Amino acid sequence: MTATNGVGERPVGIDELLERVRAGYERIEPRAAYEATRIGEALLVDIRYAALRERDGLIPGALVIERNELEWRLDPQGGHRVPEATSHDLRIVVICNEGYASSLAVESLRRLGLHRATDLVGGFQAWRAEGLPVTSWVARGAG
């Protein structure tokens, strides 16, 4: 007998799981995400852990929320939400390092009713490769 994922289906690997999750929404490219945030149409949320932010820098204006706090901080109905979590209609762009963990995070946010949540194709590394704004960890901490 083969173990299942709890809903009567065969087990899936992470690649198939990512494919299934991503089929449920449209991901966004770095330049489009930059433009959307620049005109106030999206909130960037950086879920990378501190060592990566320290090593590679930060996206100016992005809200930093550790992955293990994400749902609590972005649930508009939650008592631990951030001030930016104003509505289920909020367009949230989740950013991880390379665009994998963010896809799984988006699925969780969408289950909370944040139906416009998406993630950045290629993550922070793609953002930086596009030459989009990045500040150093030191500059952010000093300001």
Side-chain angles (χ1 to χ4, degrees):
M1 178 172 192
T2 304
T4 66
N5 63 11
V7 292
E9 297 178 9
R10 66 173 175 76
V12 298
I14 189 63
D15 292 333
E16 185 176 343
L17 178 61
L18 280 172
E19 186 177 316
R20 288 181 184 186
V21 165
R22 290 172 176 168
Y25 67 94
E26 188 174 331
R27 302 177 80 207
I28 190 168
E29 296 287 336
R31 191 137 322 258
Y34 172 74
E35 290 301 323
T37 57
R38 192 178 61 77
I39 61 175
E41 291 185 354
L43 174 66
L44 297 180
V45 177
D46 186 344
I47 64 169
R48 293 175 301 142
Y49 53 89
L52 289 176
R53 295 190 311 265
E54 185 174 345
R55 182 189 77 188
D56 295 336
L58 301 163
I59 296 173
L63 185 62
V64 174
I65 301 176
E66 296 283 339
R67 174 61 190 99
N68 63 327
E69 297 180 355
L70 188 67
E71 292 82 359
W72 285 268
R73 299 293 186 217
L74 293 179
D75 178 5
Q77 298 176 355
H80 300 287
R81 70 181 178 275
V82 294
E84 294 86 350
T86 56
S87 164
H88 285 94
D89 291 328
L90 183 62
R91 185 174 186 202
I92 298 168
V93 178
V94 181
I95 302 167
C96 67
N97 194 49
E98 294 182 342
Y100 296 101
S102 57
S103 295
L104 299 177
V106 165
E107 179 185 36
S108 182
L109 292 177
R110 285 178 161 257
R111 287 183 177 187
L112 283 175
L114 294 157
H115 62 98
R116 297 182 69 206
T118 187
D119 71 322
L120 190 69
V121 175
F124 178 86
Q125 298 305 324
W127 177 279
R128 186 171 61 180
E130 282 285 319
L132 295 169
V134 173
T135 61
S136 71
W137 178 268
V138 174
R140 173 77 177 255

